[in-house]
Amino acid sequence: MSHNTFGHLFRVTTFGESHGPAIGCVVDGCPPLLPLTEADIQADLDRRRPGQSRFTTQRREPDAVKILSGVFVGDDGAQVTTGTPIGLLIENVDQRSKDYSDIAPKYRPGHADFTYDVKYGIRDYRGGGRSSARETAMRVAAGAIARKVLPGARVRGALVQMGPHRIDRARWDWDEVGKNPFFCPDAKAAAFFEEYLDGIRKAGSSVGAVIEIVAEGVPPGLGAPIYGKLDADIAAALMSINAVKGVEIGAGMGAAELTGEENADEMRPSNEGLPGFSSNNAGGVLGGISTGQPVVARFAVKPTSSILAPRRTVTRSGEAADIVTKGRHDPCVGIRAVPVGEAMVACVLADHVLRHRAQVGGFRSWPAGG
Ligand SMILES: Cc1cc2nc3c(=O)[nH]c(=O)nc-3n(C[C@H](O)[C@H](O)[C@H](O)COP(=O)(O)O)c2cc1C
């Protein structure tokens, strides 16, 4: 049984453990002749890389990606994809497995230790092995390739809430996202988060976050009815990220509080290739198919489970125990989840572009007959 692959036509398989020699992935189904270099992938990986500020784990991993296969330098000197499987590898260089020897017989609360053990009868206790979010580096690498399949689309993410503190959406500025260590679009909120998260970090505690992903330039028509819905695939992809406990599309859970008049996005005639939508409560998806409006998804990331405070737990043999996780951990894993969320949405969109082409062909123009 294999559950390490996702996507139908843009297909990503990842492998590797937190404290093994390397992590990697195979991206199969990528169309040929797309320009692709290691630098293209590295730029996205560098945004997820640990140890870049005091607010993320101090594990020092350069996350240098190697392309092993699937590219070729053409006659014009440009390296392009060949349409064959693209193999990517990142070596693990800063494992400190001894940090984990004390906890080998104990289950860390909030981690996958108990569930892996009860399912498989064996677990790699060094940093959680396969359950570690180290694996998400390969999702980001695959996402960088997916972006190449989406030339007109732009997939961006931002942290919009930390603990109970929400940003002021009126101050949303995408240019701010790259200027603070939180991927936060509200400069004032970012300044507040700095002080707030320092307090949490110094107390040896942790806090959760909400991340919003916005994909602009998505053509209308992506996604398929019933079991191939674009929003369902995005929700599954985001929910598969470590520590994610909630996903919503568009107005999401808030839609339950709206009336029909408030919620249904009205349409007016337009010559822009799309109806003029008055709002985007649908998050860019109706009936599982993209409307051409921005696709908007949010996901909630739980607080880091490994904290300095001692916690109560049980051992493999069922005895009561106390546990203190040493290791190096992010006080808010939601921060580094931002590029991971972008990558998952990019992979889903790339998969749906190829699925749309396979079944329907090109994209239709609107107004119909226009
Ligand atoms: C980018 C990222 C980094 C993470 N780093 C840590 C960490 O340093 N310590 C920790 O306890 N959990 C961390 N997590 C979360 C755990 O991997 C996750 O909670 C654990 O594997 C249990 O899985 P679940 O929360 O999805 O059920 C991280 C998650 C993400 C997305």
Side-chain angles (χ1 to χ4, degrees):
M1 287 282 250
S2 159
H3 300 100
N4 295 289
T5 300
F6 75 96
H8 292 256
L9 298 186
F10 186 88
R11 219 164 153 71
V12 179
T13 302
T14 71
F15 61 87
E17 285 83 28
S18 171
H19 289 225
I23 52 175
C25 75
V26 176
V27 177
D28 201 0
C30 181
L33 300 172
L34 301 176
L36 182 68
T37 63
E38 284 166 355
D40 295 332
I41 303 173
Q42 198 63 52
D44 276 7
L45 281 170
D46 287 349
R47 296 175 65 234
R48 195 216 71 109
R49 196 154 55 85
Q52 298 196 88
S53 77
R54 63 184 188 278
F55 303 111
T56 62
T57 173
Q58 295 307 302
R59 180 169 168 169
R60 296 268 165 227
E61 290 289 354
D63 278 355
V65 69
K66 273 190 218 150
I67 303 181
L68 303 181
S69 63
V71 292
F72 192 68
V73 179
D75 292 341
D76 63 355
Q79 180 166 286
V80 293
T81 57
T82 58
T84 61
I86 303 170
L88 304 177
L89 195 81
I90 295 176
E91 285 178 32
N92 290 328
V93 298
D94 188 24
Q95 311 94 316
R96 276 200 219 154
S97 304
K98 66 176 168 33
D99 282 345
Y100 294 92
S101 47
D102 293 352
I103 61 153
K106 301 176 186 173
Y107 299 134
R108 294 166 304 165
H111 278 278
D113 300 350
F114 163 67
T115 48
Y116 269 50
D117 210 9
V118 79
K119 182 176 178 74
Y120 299 110
I122 184 168
R123 81 187 158 95
D124 180 347
Y125 57 81
R126 302 162 310 161
R130 182 76 181 143
S131 72
S132 162
R134 182 104 194 90
E135 184 270 347
T136 61
M138 297 325 303
R139 302 172 184 234
V140 173
I145 301 175
R147 289 180 199 269
K148 303 258 176 180
V149 183
L150 309 166
R154 189 169 196 192
V155 184
R156 294 185 286 187
L159 184 145
V160 297
Q161 184 176 336
M162 189 184 288
H165 306 289
R166 290 187 171 87
I167 64 154
D168 178 348
R169 298 182 74 90
R171 283 198 294 259
W172 189 301
D173 177 359
W174 280 112
D175 289 339
E176 285 300 327
V177 169
K179 292 186 188 157
N180 61 71
F182 309 110
F183 300 106
C184 179
D186 170 355
K188 197 169 167 200
F192 169 78
F193 289 156
E194 190 140 355
E195 208 177 307
Y196 171 66
L197 197 54
D198 254 338
I200 300 276
R201 186 175 61 84
K202 286 180 186 154
S205 186
S206 65
V207 73
V210 176
I211 288 84
E212 183 162 318
I213 308 291
V214 181
E216 289 160 302
V218 175
L222 284 196
I226 317 298
Y227 300 118
K229 289 183 170 176
L230 183 64
D231 43 356
D233 285 354
I234 288 174
L238 293 175
M239 196 56 124
S240 77
I241 301 170
N242 308 48
V244 172
K245 290 311 244 183
V247 179
E248 56 182 26
I249 309 284
M253 298 289 173
E257 292 174 21
L258 302 178
T259 60
E261 301 91 299
E262 289 165 330
N263 180 65
D265 306 312
E266 285 192 306
M267 287 170 275
R268 307 301 301 147
S270 145
N271 292 320
E272 314 254 306
L274 288 180
F277 288 98
S278 62
S279 51
N280 189 13
N281 290 317
V285 188
L286 288 170
I289 299 174
S290 61
T291 60
Q293 285 197 286
V295 174
V296 182
R298 272 178 301 282
F299 59 99
V301 179
K302 72 188 192 184
T304 321
S305 300
S306 295
I307 49 176
L308 292 179
R311 312 291 332 266
R312 289 182 304 166
T313 188
V314 292
T315 62
R316 281 199 91 195
S317 47
E319 283 131 23
D322 284 330
I323 189 164
V324 178
T325 25
K326 290 184 210 148
R328 296 154 291 174
H329 303 280
D330 302 41
C332 175
V333 293
I335 301 170
R336 290 200 300 131
V338 175
V340 183
E342 290 176 9
M344 293 309 282
V345 171
C347 286
V348 171
L349 292 172
D351 190 40
H352 274 283
V353 164
L354 301 185
R355 287 159 70 176
H356 178 84
R357 281 194 205 147
Q359 190 197 11
V360 182
F363 292 98
R364 263 170 239 294
S365 56
W366 186 89

